Amino acid sequence: MAKRLSVAVGLWALGGPLGLHHLYLGRDSHALLWILTLGGFGAGWLCDLWHLPAWVVAANGPPRPPPRGASPPLSPPRVAGQLLVGGYFGLVGALGAPWVPTPLAVALGVLLVASVGDQASDPPRVVAAAFLAALLFQGRVLPTSLATTAVASWHRRFEPPQIPPPPLPARLYRLGLGVAAFGAPLACGAVSGALGVVGTAL
């Protein structure tokens, strides 16, 4: 079914910070990123309006195989997003779910940004870089995110489109799993903290 720019703009206006327009256009990683960061901390959602026409054209066109042997050009906004989201995931993990290793949280944030659009990175190397950087920098989030971003950018590659695309229920299921994986440790941490406060008060 052909995607319409008017529908994409309407979804951008009504539920843009929750990634509804990305879900409509089949950009599931981008939708998950927007859900977990509320539209790229607001700024990414606003910038999306300028990209919507090109995304609609790409969604309506035939899937294009990535160029053989070519690497995507280095994108400063993507690199900045990897750094910010990696740091954000690391801080959320450290504060809300201390049993989740901070380097793993940083690596997942960086990999999520790296997988937006038709690109990806090398997950094993990115995760290994995060743990090594955390060891070298004594667990500090910002240097860990910076080193992990550098490795993810170095190993960037085109990701071939999935043909045929998965049905909507399967896409929503995977999106729900991603949201649950992010939110469940935070919910457990909040409940544990609340029980601790109540226990102290009693």
Side-chain angles (χ1 to χ4, degrees), residues 46 51 72 92 101 108 112 120 161 177:
L46 294 175
H51 296 287
V92 167
L108 291 176
L112 179 57
L177 285 180

Side-chain angles (χ1 to χ4, degrees), residues 140-169:
R140 290 196 288 270
V141 171
L142 184 58
T144 301
S145 182
L146 183 60
T148 308
T149 296
V151 172
S153 299
W154 181 263
H155 293 286
R156 67 190 183 278
R157 56 180 169 80
F158 285 110
E159 183 74 7
Q162 188 173 353
I163 303 173
L168 182 61

Side-chain angles (χ1 to χ4, degrees), residues 92-139:
V92 167
L95 297 176
W99 60 88
V100 176
T102 299
L104 179 60
V106 170
L108 291 176
V110 171
L111 285 169
L112 179 57
V113 178
S115 67
V116 166
D118 60 350
Q119 296 186 28
S121 190
D122 189 329
R125 290 179 178 174
V126 171
V127 172
F131 277 92
L132 181 59
L135 184 63
L136 292 175
F137 297 110
Q138 301 177 345

Side-chain angles (χ1 to χ4, degrees), residues 62-88:
R64 293 180 299 175
R68 181 172 297 178
S71 295
L74 187 65
S75 168
R78 186 182 293 266
V79 171
Q82 288 173 336
L83 179 61
L84 288 173
V85 175
Y88 167 63

Side-chain angles (χ1 to χ4, degrees), residues 14-43:
L14 294 175
L18 296 178
L20 293 184
H21 54 299
H22 290 301
L23 186 63
Y24 172 68
L25 296 174
R27 301 171 58 86
D28 295 347
S29 294
H30 215 155
L32 178 60
L33 177 63
W34 259 214
I35 291 171
L36 300 182
T37 62
L38 289 180
F41 311 108

